[in-house]
């Protein structure tokens, strides 16, 4: 999964700082901090999705935060992204979570079109990051 994470970060013009130990730790915690789905083709990984459970103070309900959904560029358009999103949605429904939320870079128009085709609506917000040292 780590090579896909790095490919995803590079696609979004960023850098992934996670290593195997941190990723393993997120899965091994009880309860796990992270849920993940990996799509394979011909025995190799071609896409992944990761999510965490969060809580909205506005709605008073828990929701699933889709942290990442990525499909290798050479495999896009084949239904892999839709299958991953379906699995994420089913995971949320099985846990009685109110919705799935995520963000994508504003320049990624292909992703926005894909998400709209899947029935998602877009909220106009900007995401900020404040480092805590």
């Amino acid at each position: 999964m780590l090579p896909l994470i790095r490919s995803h970060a590079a696609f979004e013009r960023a850098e992934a700082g996670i290593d195997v130990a941190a990723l393993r730790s997120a899965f091994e915690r009880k309860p796990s901090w992270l849920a993940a789905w990996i799509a394979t083709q011909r025995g190799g990984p071609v896409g992944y999705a990761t999510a965490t459970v969060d809580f909205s103070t506005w709605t008073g309900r828990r929701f699933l935060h889709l942290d990442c959904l990525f499909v290798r560029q050479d495999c896009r358009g084949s239904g892999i992204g839709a299958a991953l999103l379906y699995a994420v949605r089913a995971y949320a429904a099985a846990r009685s979570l109110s919705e799935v939320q995520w963000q994508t870079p504003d320049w990624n128009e292909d992703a926005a079109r894909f998400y709209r085709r899947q029935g998602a609506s877009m909220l106009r917000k900007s995401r900020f990051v404040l480092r805590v040292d």
Side-chain angles (χ1 to χ4, degrees), residues 39-87:
T40 60
Q41 231 176 32
R42 292 181 224 78
V46 296
Y48 77 104
T50 55
T52 58
V53 176
D54 206 336
F55 180 83
S56 170
T57 53
W58 285 9
T59 66
R61 295 189 308 255
R62 295 181 320 140
F63 66 93
L64 194 65
H65 174 249
L66 176 62
D67 185 56
C68 295
L69 191 154
F70 176 75
V71 176
R72 277 190 356 215
Q73 192 160 1
D74 61 319
C75 297
R76 293 183 189 150
S78 63
I80 293 169
L84 285 167
L85 192 56
Y86 179 85

mmCIF file of all heavy atoms in Angstrom, residues 39-87:
data_model
loop_
_atom_site.group_PDB
_atom_site.id
_atom_site.type_symbol
_atom_site.label_atom_id
_atom_site.label_comp_id
_atom_site.label_asym_id
_atom_site.label_seq_id
_atom_site.Cartn_x
_atom_site.Cartn_y
_atom_site.Cartn_z
ATOM 1 N N ALA A 39 -7.419 -2.192 -4.087
ATOM 2 C CA ALA A 39 -7.884 -2.803 -5.333
ATOM 3 C C ALA A 39 -6.684 -3.407 -6.043
ATOM 4 O O ALA A 39 -5.618 -2.796 -6.117
ATOM 5 C CB ALA A 39 -8.550 -1.751 -6.222
ATOM 6 N N THR A 40 -6.866 -4.620 -6.548
ATOM 7 C CA THR A 40 -5.784 -5.281 -7.269
ATOM 8 C C THR A 40 -6.242 -5.660 -8.672
ATOM 9 O O THR A 40 -7.428 -5.845 -8.925
ATOM 10 C CB THR A 40 -5.306 -6.549 -6.531
ATOM 11 O OG1 THR A 40 -6.414 -7.453 -6.420
ATOM 12 C CG2 THR A 40 -4.759 -6.225 -5.156
ATOM 13 N N GLN A 41 -5.284 -5.762 -9.539
ATOM 14 C CA GLN A 41 -5.509 -6.231 -10.898
ATOM 15 C C GLN A 41 -4.313 -7.077 -11.277
ATOM 16 O O GLN A 41 -3.166 -6.660 -11.043
ATOM 17 C CB GLN A 41 -5.614 -5.025 -11.847
ATOM 18 C CG GLN A 41 -6.820 -5.038 -12.712
ATOM 19 C CD GLN A 41 -6.896 -3.769 -13.555
ATOM 20 O OE1 GLN A 41 -5.884 -3.193 -13.954
ATOM 21 N NE2 GLN A 41 -8.098 -3.342 -13.825
ATOM 22 N N ARG A 42 -4.566 -8.254 -11.792
ATOM 23 C CA ARG A 42 -3.497 -9.184 -12.147
ATOM 24 C C ARG A 42 -2.531 -9.400 -10.989
ATOM 25 O O ARG A 42 -1.311 -9.446 -11.161
ATOM 26 C CB ARG A 42 -2.756 -8.713 -13.392
ATOM 27 C CG ARG A 42 -3.604 -8.778 -14.658
ATOM 28 C CD ARG A 42 -2.798 -8.313 -15.863
ATOM 29 N NE ARG A 42 -3.529 -7.439 -16.735
ATOM 30 C CZ ARG A 42 -3.785 -6.129 -16.534
ATOM 31 N NH1 ARG A 42 -3.365 -5.525 -15.483
ATOM 32 N NH2 ARG A 42 -4.462 -5.439 -17.414
ATOM 33 N N GLY A 43 -3.073 -9.459 -9.771
ATOM 34 C CA GLY A 43 -2.268 -9.752 -8.598
ATOM 35 C C GLY A 43 -1.506 -8.591 -7.998
ATOM 36 O O GLY A 43 -0.823 -8.752 -6.998
ATOM 37 N N GLY A 44 -1.611 -7.408 -8.596
ATOM 38 C CA GLY A 44 -0.877 -6.256 -8.073
ATOM 39 C C GLY A 44 -1.806 -5.133 -7.658
ATOM 40 O O GLY A 44 -2.903 -4.987 -8.198
ATOM 41 N N PRO A 45 -1.385 -4.318 -6.681
ATOM 42 C CA PRO A 45 -2.224 -3.209 -6.223
ATOM 43 C C PRO A 45 -2.298 -2.098 -7.271
ATOM 44 O O PRO A 45 -1.284 -1.703 -7.840
ATOM 45 C CB PRO A 45 -1.520 -2.730 -4.952
ATOM 46 C CG PRO A 45 -0.103 -3.145 -5.119
ATOM 47 C CD PRO A 45 -0.123 -4.399 -5.956
ATOM 48 N N VAL A 46 -3.519 -1.609 -7.522
ATOM 49 C CA VAL A 46 -3.713 -0.538 -8.498
ATOM 50 C C VAL A 46 -4.473 0.649 -7.919
ATOM 51 O O VAL A 46 -4.590 1.685 -8.570
ATOM 52 C CB VAL A 46 -4.430 -1.049 -9.774
ATOM 53 C CG1 VAL A 46 -3.572 -2.072 -10.491
ATOM 54 C CG2 VAL A 46 -5.800 -1.595 -9.452
ATOM 55 N N GLY A 47 -5.010 0.498 -6.717
ATOM 56 C CA GLY A 47 -5.749 1.593 -6.103
ATOM 57 C C GLY A 47 -6.020 1.294 -4.647
ATOM 58 O O GLY A 47 -5.876 0.153 -4.197
ATOM 59 N N TYR A 48 -6.376 2.340 -3.913
ATOM 60 C CA TYR A 48 -6.684 2.146 -2.501
ATOM 61 C C TYR A 48 -7.599 3.258 -2.011
ATOM 62 O O TYR A 48 -7.718 4.324 -2.633
ATOM 63 C CB TYR A 48 -5.412 2.117 -1.654
ATOM 64 C CG TYR A 48 -4.798 3.480 -1.384
ATOM 65 C CD1 TYR A 48 -4.937 4.083 -0.137
ATOM 66 C CD2 TYR A 48 -4.096 4.161 -2.367
ATOM 67 C CE1 TYR A 48 -4.387 5.330 0.111
ATOM 68 C CE2 TYR A 48 -3.543 5.396 -2.124
ATOM 69 C CZ TYR A 48 -3.689 5.984 -0.886
ATOM 70 O OH TYR A 48 -3.154 7.226 -0.643
ATOM 71 N N ALA A 49 -8.231 2.987 -0.893
ATOM 72 C CA ALA A 49 -9.003 3.991 -0.163
ATOM 73 C C ALA A 49 -8.700 3.795 1.313
ATOM 74 O O ALA A 49 -8.484 2.660 1.765
ATOM 75 C CB ALA A 49 -10.498 3.828 -0.425
ATOM 76 N N THR A 50 -8.659 4.901 2.058
ATOM 77 C CA THR A 50 -8.487 4.836 3.502
ATOM 78 C C THR A 50 -9.491 5.782 4.140
ATOM 79 O O THR A 50 -9.868 6.804 3.549
ATOM 80 C CB THR A 50 -7.065 5.236 3.944
ATOM 81 O OG1 THR A 50 -6.763 6.536 3.429
ATOM 82 C CG2 THR A 50 -6.031 4.225 3.482
ATOM 83 N N ALA A 51 -9.923 5.431 5.356
ATOM 84 C CA ALA A 51 -10.925 6.249 6.029
ATOM 85 C C ALA A 51 -10.803 6.135 7.542
ATOM 86 O O ALA A 51 -10.274 5.138 8.054
ATOM 87 C CB ALA A 51 -12.325 5.812 5.591
ATOM 88 N N THR A 52 -11.280 7.151 8.222
ATOM 89 C CA THR A 52 -11.331 7.175 9.677
ATOM 90 C C THR A 52 -12.720 7.646 10.108
ATOM 91 O O THR A 52 -13.398 8.366 9.368
ATOM 92 C CB THR A 52 -10.278 8.141 10.262
ATOM 93 O OG1 THR A 52 -10.501 9.448 9.728
ATOM 94 C CG2 THR A 52 -8.868 7.684 9.945
ATOM 95 N N VAL A 53 -13.127 7.275 11.296
ATOM 96 C CA VAL A 53 -14.407 7.727 11.837
ATOM 97 C C VAL A 53 -14.186 9.067 12.532
ATOM 98 O O VAL A 53 -13.207 9.249 13.259
ATOM 99 C CB VAL A 53 -15.001 6.694 12.814
ATOM 100 C CG1 VAL A 53 -16.278 7.222 13.455
ATOM 101 C CG2 VAL A 53 -15.270 5.384 12.086
ATOM 102 N N ASP A 54 -15.089 10.000 12.295
ATOM 103 C CA ASP A 54 -15.001 11.327 12.895
ATOM 104 C C ASP A 54 -16.370 11.705 13.445
ATOM 105 O O ASP A 54 -17.343 10.962 13.291
ATOM 106 C CB ASP A 54 -14.545 12.341 11.840
ATOM 107 C CG ASP A 54 -13.826 13.540 12.442
ATOM 108 O OD1 ASP A 54 -14.057 13.849 13.631
ATOM 109 O OD2 ASP A 54 -13.045 14.172 11.726
ATOM 110 N N PHE A 55 -16.463 12.862 14.079
ATOM 111 C CA PHE A 55 -17.702 13.331 14.677
ATOM 112 C C PHE A 55 -17.947 14.774 14.261
ATOM 113 O O PHE A 55 -17.023 15.592 14.264
ATOM 114 C CB PHE A 55 -17.613 13.250 16.212
ATOM 115 C CG PHE A 55 -18.864 13.716 16.906
ATOM 116 C CD1 PHE A 55 -19.944 12.869 17.063
ATOM 117 C CD2 PHE A 55 -18.963 15.014 17.393
ATOM 118 C CE1 PHE A 55 -21.105 13.297 17.691
ATOM 119 C CE2 PHE A 55 -20.110 15.462 18.024
ATOM 120 C CZ PHE A 55 -21.186 14.593 18.173
ATOM 121 N N SER A 56 -19.172 15.088 13.886
ATOM 122 C CA SER A 56 -19.543 16.437 13.497
ATOM 123 C C SER A 56 -20.291 17.126 14.639
ATOM 124 O O SER A 56 -21.343 16.641 15.074
ATOM 125 C CB SER A 56 -20.449 16.413 12.261
ATOM 126 O OG SER A 56 -20.993 17.705 12.030
ATOM 127 N N THR A 57 -19.762 18.239 15.100
ATOM 128 C CA THR A 57 -20.470 18.985 16.140
ATOM 129 C C THR A 57 -21.694 19.702 15.573
ATOM 130 O O THR A 57 -22.608 20.042 16.311
ATOM 131 C CB THR A 57 -19.536 20.019 16.817
ATOM 132 O OG1 THR A 57 -18.945 20.834 15.818
ATOM 133 C CG2 THR A 57 -18.459 19.319 17.620
ATOM 134 N N TRP A 58 -21.741 19.915 14.272
ATOM 135 C CA TRP A 58 -22.910 20.564 13.677
ATOM 136 C C TRP A 58 -24.102 19.623 13.613
ATOM 137 O O TRP A 58 -25.227 20.025 13.864
ATOM 138 C CB TRP A 58 -22.603 21.063 12.270
ATOM 139 C CG TRP A 58 -21.748 22.300 12.241
ATOM 140 C CD1 TRP A 58 -21.114 22.892 13.300
ATOM 141 C CD2 TRP A 58 -21.432 23.078 11.105
ATOM 142 N NE1 TRP A 58 -20.426 23.990 12.890
ATOM 143 C CE2 TRP A 58 -20.601 24.136 11.529
ATOM 144 C CE3 TRP A 58 -21.761 22.979 9.772
ATOM 145 C CZ2 TRP A 58 -20.103 25.096 10.670
ATOM 146 C CZ3 TRP A 58 -21.259 23.935 8.909
ATOM 147 C CH2 TRP A 58 -20.441 24.984 9.352
ATOM 148 N N THR A 59 -23.855 18.366 13.251
ATOM 149 C CA THR A 59 -24.970 17.415 13.137
ATOM 150 C C THR A 59 -25.149 16.573 14.390
ATOM 151 O O THR A 59 -26.200 15.976 14.585
ATOM 152 C CB THR A 59 -24.755 16.459 11.950
ATOM 153 O OG1 THR A 59 -23.609 15.633 12.209
ATOM 154 C CG2 THR A 59 -24.594 17.213 10.641
ATOM 155 N N GLY A 60 -24.102 16.505 15.207
ATOM 156 C CA GLY A 60 -24.166 15.664 16.399
ATOM 157 C C GLY A 60 -24.066 14.185 16.081
ATOM 158 O O GLY A 60 -24.480 13.338 16.872
ATOM 159 N N ARG A 61 -23.516 13.858 14.908
ATOM 160 C CA ARG A 61 -23.424 12.464 14.486
ATOM 161 C C ARG A 61 -22.003 12.132 14.031
ATOM 162 O O ARG A 61 -21.256 12.998 13.588
ATOM 163 C CB ARG A 61 -24.388 12.199 13.333
ATOM 164 C CG ARG A 61 -25.836 12.339 13.725
ATOM 165 C CD ARG A 61 -26.777 11.869 12.623
ATOM 166 N NE ARG A 61 -26.518 12.479 11.329
ATOM 167 C CZ ARG A 61 -27.263 13.435 10.786
ATOM 168 N NH1 ARG A 61 -28.289 13.910 11.413
ATOM 169 N NH2 ARG A 61 -26.961 13.911 9.600
ATOM 170 N N ARG A 62 -21.691 10.844 14.119
ATOM 171 C CA ARG A 62 -20.421 10.359 13.585
ATOM 172 C C ARG A 62 -20.547 10.222 12.071
ATOM 173 O O ARG A 62 -21.623 9.979 11.547
ATOM 174 C CB ARG A 62 -20.079 9.002 14.197
ATOM 175 C CG ARG A 62 -19.828 9.056 15.685
ATOM 176 C CD ARG A 62 -19.464 7.713 16.297
ATOM 177 N NE ARG A 62 -20.228 6.619 15.750
ATOM 178 C CZ ARG A 62 -19.729 5.411 15.477
ATOM 179 N NH1 ARG A 62 -18.470 5.126 15.733
ATOM 180 N NH2 ARG A 62 -20.482 4.466 14.971
ATOM 181 N N PHE A 63 -19.428 10.375 11.387
ATOM 182 C CA PHE A 63 -19.385 10.177 9.939
ATOM 183 C C PHE A 63 -18.053 9.539 9.580
ATOM 184 O O PHE A 63 -17.124 9.495 10.388
ATOM 185 C CB PHE A 63 -19.580 11.501 9.183
ATOM 186 C CG PHE A 63 -18.463 12.496 9.365
ATOM 187 C CD1 PHE A 63 -17.399 12.549 8.472
ATOM 188 C CD2 PHE A 63 -18.479 13.387 10.422
ATOM 189 C CE1 PHE A 63 -16.365 13.467 8.638
ATOM 190 C CE2 PHE A 63 -17.454 14.319 10.597
ATOM 191 C CZ PHE A 63 -16.403 14.356 9.700
ATOM 192 N N LEU A 64 -17.971 9.019 8.367
ATOM 193 C CA LEU A 64 -16.725 8.429 7.891
ATOM 194 C C LEU A 64 -15.982 9.480 7.082
ATOM 195 O O LEU A 64 -16.534 10.060 6.148
ATOM 196 C CB LEU A 64 -17.006 7.195 7.036
ATOM 197 C CG LEU A 64 -15.787 6.310 6.772
ATOM 198 C CD1 LEU A 64 -15.278 5.691 8.075
ATOM 199 C CD2 LEU A 64 -16.134 5.219 5.777
ATOM 200 N N HIS A 65 -14.740 9.743 7.464
ATOM 201 C CA HIS A 65 -13.898 10.665 6.714
ATOM 202 C C HIS A 65 -13.044 9.841 5.750
ATOM 203 O O HIS A 65 -12.201 9.047 6.171
ATOM 204 C CB HIS A 65 -12.996 11.473 7.648
ATOM 205 C CG HIS A 65 -12.024 12.313 6.894
ATOM 206 N ND1 HIS A 65 -10.679 12.061 6.889
ATOM 207 C CD2 HIS A 65 -12.208 13.373 6.079
ATOM 208 C CE1 HIS A 65 -10.076 12.949 6.115
ATOM 209 N NE2 HIS A 65 -10.976 13.748 5.606
ATOM 210 N N LEU A 66 -13.316 9.998 4.478
ATOM 211 C CA LEU A 66 -12.537 9.333 3.434
ATOM 212 C C LEU A 66 -11.249 10.123 3.268
ATOM 213 O O LEU A 66 -11.240 11.219 2.710
ATOM 214 C CB LEU A 66 -13.332 9.295 2.126
ATOM 215 C CG LEU A 66 -12.643 8.714 0.901
ATOM 216 C CD1 LEU A 66 -12.270 7.259 1.117
ATOM 217 C CD2 LEU A 66 -13.541 8.873 -0.320
ATOM 218 N N ASP A 67 -10.183 9.599 3.818
ATOM 219 C CA ASP A 67 -8.908 10.316 3.792
ATOM 220 C C ASP A 67 -8.287 10.265 2.402
ATOM 221 O O ASP A 67 -7.789 11.271 1.911
ATOM 222 C CB ASP A 67 -7.950 9.730 4.836
ATOM 223 C CG ASP A 67 -6.664 10.510 4.922
ATOM 224 O OD1 ASP A 67 -6.735 11.735 5.158
ATOM 225 O OD2 ASP A 67 -5.587 9.913 4.766
ATOM 226 N N CYS A 68 -8.307 9.104 1.783
ATOM 227 C CA CYS A 68 -7.710 8.946 0.455
ATOM 228 C C CYS A 68 -8.533 7.997 -0.396
ATOM 229 O O CYS A 68 -9.044 6.993 0.102
ATOM 230 C CB CYS A 68 -6.296 8.362 0.557
ATOM 231 S SG CYS A 68 -5.107 9.412 1.381
ATOM 232 N N LEU A 69 -8.631 8.324 -1.667
ATOM 233 C CA LEU A 69 -9.121 7.397 -2.689
ATOM 234 C C LEU A 69 -8.261 7.665 -3.906
ATOM 235 O O LEU A 69 -8.235 8.786 -4.419
ATOM 236 C CB LEU A 69 -10.595 7.626 -3.015
ATOM 237 C CG LEU A 69 -11.226 6.531 -3.872
ATOM 238 C CD1 LEU A 69 -12.716 6.449 -3.629
ATOM 239 C CD2 LEU A 69 -10.925 6.651 -5.337
ATOM 240 N N PHE A 70 -7.532 6.647 -4.325
ATOM 241 C CA PHE A 70 -6.582 6.821 -5.418
ATOM 242 C C PHE A 70 -6.567 5.573 -6.278
ATOM 243 O O PHE A 70 -6.563 4.452 -5.773
ATOM 244 C CB PHE A 70 -5.173 7.066 -4.858
ATOM 245 C CG PHE A 70 -4.102 7.157 -5.912
ATOM 246 C CD1 PHE A 70 -3.976 8.293 -6.693
ATOM 247 C CD2 PHE A 70 -3.221 6.112 -6.123
ATOM 248 C CE1 PHE A 70 -2.979 8.389 -7.662
ATOM 249 C CE2 PHE A 70 -2.236 6.187 -7.088
ATOM 250 C CZ PHE A 70 -2.106 7.334 -7.861
ATOM 251 N N VAL A 71 -6.564 5.787 -7.592
ATOM 252 C CA VAL A 71 -6.410 4.708 -8.571
ATOM 253 C C VAL A 71 -5.292 5.127 -9.513
ATOM 254 O O VAL A 71 -5.267 6.279 -9.976
ATOM 255 C CB VAL A 71 -7.717 4.467 -9.352
ATOM 256 C CG1 VAL A 71 -7.518 3.415 -10.440
ATOM 257 C CG2 VAL A 71 -8.846 4.061 -8.402
ATOM 258 N N ARG A 72 -4.371 4.212 -9.766
ATOM 259 C CA ARG A 72 -3.276 4.523 -10.694
ATOM 260 C C ARG A 72 -3.847 5.046 -12.007
ATOM 261 O O ARG A 72 -4.866 4.564 -12.494
ATOM 262 C CB ARG A 72 -2.445 3.266 -10.970
ATOM 263 C CG ARG A 72 -1.415 2.982 -9.941
ATOM 264 C CD ARG A 72 -0.442 1.890 -10.351
ATOM 265 N NE ARG A 72 -0.734 1.257 -11.630
ATOM 266 C CZ ARG A 72 -0.523 -0.035 -11.888
ATOM 267 N NH1 ARG A 72 -0.001 -0.825 -10.968
ATOM 268 N NH2 ARG A 72 -0.811 -0.534 -13.077
ATOM 269 N N GLN A 73 -3.179 6.005 -12.591
ATOM 270 C CA GLN A 73 -3.673 6.662 -13.793
ATOM 271 C C GLN A 73 -3.956 5.676 -14.930
ATOM 272 O O GLN A 73 -4.957 5.800 -15.636
ATOM 273 C CB GLN A 73 -2.685 7.729 -14.253
ATOM 274 C CG GLN A 73 -3.264 8.637 -15.302
ATOM 275 C CD GLN A 73 -2.506 9.936 -15.416
ATOM 276 O OE1 GLN A 73 -1.528 10.167 -14.720
ATOM 277 N NE2 GLN A 73 -2.956 10.789 -16.297
ATOM 278 N N ASP A 74 -3.109 4.665 -15.101
ATOM 279 C CA ASP A 74 -3.301 3.709 -16.192
ATOM 280 C C ASP A 74 -4.482 2.769 -15.955
ATOM 281 O O ASP A 74 -4.859 2.017 -16.853
ATOM 282 C CB ASP A 74 -2.023 2.898 -16.444
ATOM 283 C CG ASP A 74 -1.596 2.075 -15.238
ATOM 284 O OD1 ASP A 74 -1.673 2.590 -14.094
ATOM 285 O OD2 ASP A 74 -1.175 0.924 -15.432
ATOM 286 N N CYS A 75 -5.086 2.821 -14.771
ATOM 287 C CA CYS A 75 -6.221 1.946 -14.444
ATOM 288 C C CYS A 75 -7.528 2.717 -14.260
ATOM 289 O O CYS A 75 -8.561 2.122 -13.963
ATOM 290 C CB CYS A 75 -5.913 1.157 -13.176
ATOM 291 S SG CYS A 75 -4.508 0.053 -13.359
ATOM 292 N N ARG A 76 -7.488 4.027 -14.421
ATOM 293 C CA ARG A 76 -8.695 4.839 -14.237
ATOM 294 C C ARG A 76 -9.679 4.586 -15.368
ATOM 295 O O ARG A 76 -9.305 4.228 -16.475
ATOM 296 C CB ARG A 76 -8.326 6.314 -14.164
ATOM 297 C CG ARG A 76 -7.541 6.615 -12.907
ATOM 298 C CD ARG A 76 -7.215 8.077 -12.750
ATOM 299 N NE ARG A 76 -6.272 8.191 -11.633
ATOM 300 C CZ ARG A 76 -5.365 9.100 -11.525
ATOM 301 N NH1 ARG A 76 -5.256 10.042 -12.445
ATOM 302 N NH2 ARG A 76 -4.554 9.117 -10.489
ATOM 303 N N GLY A 77 -10.956 4.773 -15.053
ATOM 304 C CA GLY A 77 -12.005 4.585 -16.047
ATOM 305 C C GLY A 77 -12.472 3.150 -16.174
ATOM 306 O O GLY A 77 -13.306 2.842 -17.013
ATOM 307 N N SER A 78 -11.958 2.268 -15.325
ATOM 308 C CA SER A 78 -12.326 0.847 -15.422
ATOM 309 C C SER A 78 -13.268 0.398 -14.304
ATOM 310 O O SER A 78 -13.526 -0.788 -14.165
ATOM 311 C CB SER A 78 -11.057 -0.012 -15.411
ATOM 312 O OG SER A 78 -10.373 0.151 -14.176
ATOM 313 N N GLY A 79 -13.746 1.349 -13.489
ATOM 314 C CA GLY A 79 -14.681 1.003 -12.414
ATOM 315 C C GLY A 79 -14.032 0.749 -11.064
ATOM 316 O O GLY A 79 -14.728 0.490 -10.079
ATOM 317 N N ILE A 80 -12.720 0.836 -11.000
ATOM 318 C CA ILE A 80 -12.025 0.558 -9.742
ATOM 319 C C ILE A 80 -12.360 1.615 -8.691
ATOM 320 O O ILE A 80 -12.644 1.289 -7.539
ATOM 321 C CB ILE A 80 -10.500 0.465 -9.968
ATOM 322 C CG1 ILE A 80 -10.184 -0.765 -10.818
ATOM 323 C CG2 ILE A 80 -9.753 0.414 -8.642
ATOM 324 C CD1 ILE A 80 -8.771 -0.818 -11.333
ATOM 325 N N GLY A 81 -12.333 2.885 -9.076
ATOM 326 C CA GLY A 81 -12.661 3.953 -8.133
ATOM 327 C C GLY A 81 -14.080 3.811 -7.608
ATOM 328 O O GLY A 81 -14.326 3.970 -6.407
ATOM 329 N N ALA A 82 -15.010 3.502 -8.493
ATOM 330 C CA ALA A 82 -16.407 3.322 -8.073
ATOM 331 C C ALA A 82 -16.539 2.144 -7.118
ATOM 332 O O ALA A 82 -17.284 2.209 -6.132
ATOM 333 C CB ALA A 82 -17.300 3.127 -9.299
ATOM 334 N N ALA A 83 -15.807 1.074 -7.390
ATOM 335 C CA ALA A 83 -15.855 -0.094 -6.511
ATOM 336 C C ALA A 83 -15.273 0.229 -5.133
ATOM 337 O O ALA A 83 -15.818 -0.188 -4.096
ATOM 338 C CB ALA A 83 -15.106 -1.271 -7.143
ATOM 339 N N LEU A 84 -14.192 0.979 -5.109
ATOM 340 C CA LEU A 84 -13.606 1.380 -3.829
ATOM 341 C C LEU A 84 -14.581 2.266 -3.059
ATOM 342 O O LEU A 84 -14.805 2.067 -1.856
ATOM 343 C CB LEU A 84 -12.281 2.116 -4.044
ATOM 344 C CG LEU A 84 -11.090 1.250 -4.418
ATOM 345 C CD1 LEU A 84 -9.932 2.106 -4.921
ATOM 346 C CD2 LEU A 84 -10.647 0.385 -3.237
ATOM 347 N N LEU A 85 -15.183 3.240 -3.742
ATOM 348 C CA LEU A 85 -16.123 4.133 -3.075
ATOM 349 C C LEU A 85 -17.348 3.366 -2.585
ATOM 350 O O LEU A 85 -17.877 3.641 -1.504
ATOM 351 C CB LEU A 85 -16.522 5.281 -3.997
ATOM 352 C CG LEU A 85 -17.271 6.432 -3.342
ATOM 353 C CD1 LEU A 85 -16.493 7.024 -2.168
ATOM 354 C CD2 LEU A 85 -17.573 7.512 -4.372
ATOM 355 N N TYR A 86 -17.787 2.391 -3.332
ATOM 356 C CA TYR A 86 -18.906 1.544 -2.902
ATOM 357 C C TYR A 86 -18.546 0.808 -1.611
ATOM 358 O O TYR A 86 -19.348 0.728 -0.679
ATOM 359 C CB TYR A 86 -19.271 0.548 -4.006
ATOM 360 C CG TYR A 86 -20.401 -0.364 -3.616
ATOM 361 C CD1 TYR A 86 -21.730 0.034 -3.781
ATOM 362 C CD2 TYR A 86 -20.152 -1.616 -3.057
ATOM 363 C CE1 TYR A 86 -22.778 -0.791 -3.402
ATOM 364 C CE2 TYR A 86 -21.190 -2.444 -2.671
ATOM 365 C CZ TYR A 86 -22.498 -2.029 -2.849
ATOM 366 O OH TYR A 86 -23.534 -2.847 -2.468
ATOM 367 N N ALA A 87 -17.342 0.263 -1.543
ATOM 368 C CA ALA A 87 -16.901 -0.454 -0.344
ATOM 369 C C ALA A 87 -16.830 0.486 0.860
ATOM 370 O O ALA A 87 -17.222 0.121 1.975
ATOM 371 C CB ALA A 87 -15.545 -1.115 -0.589
#
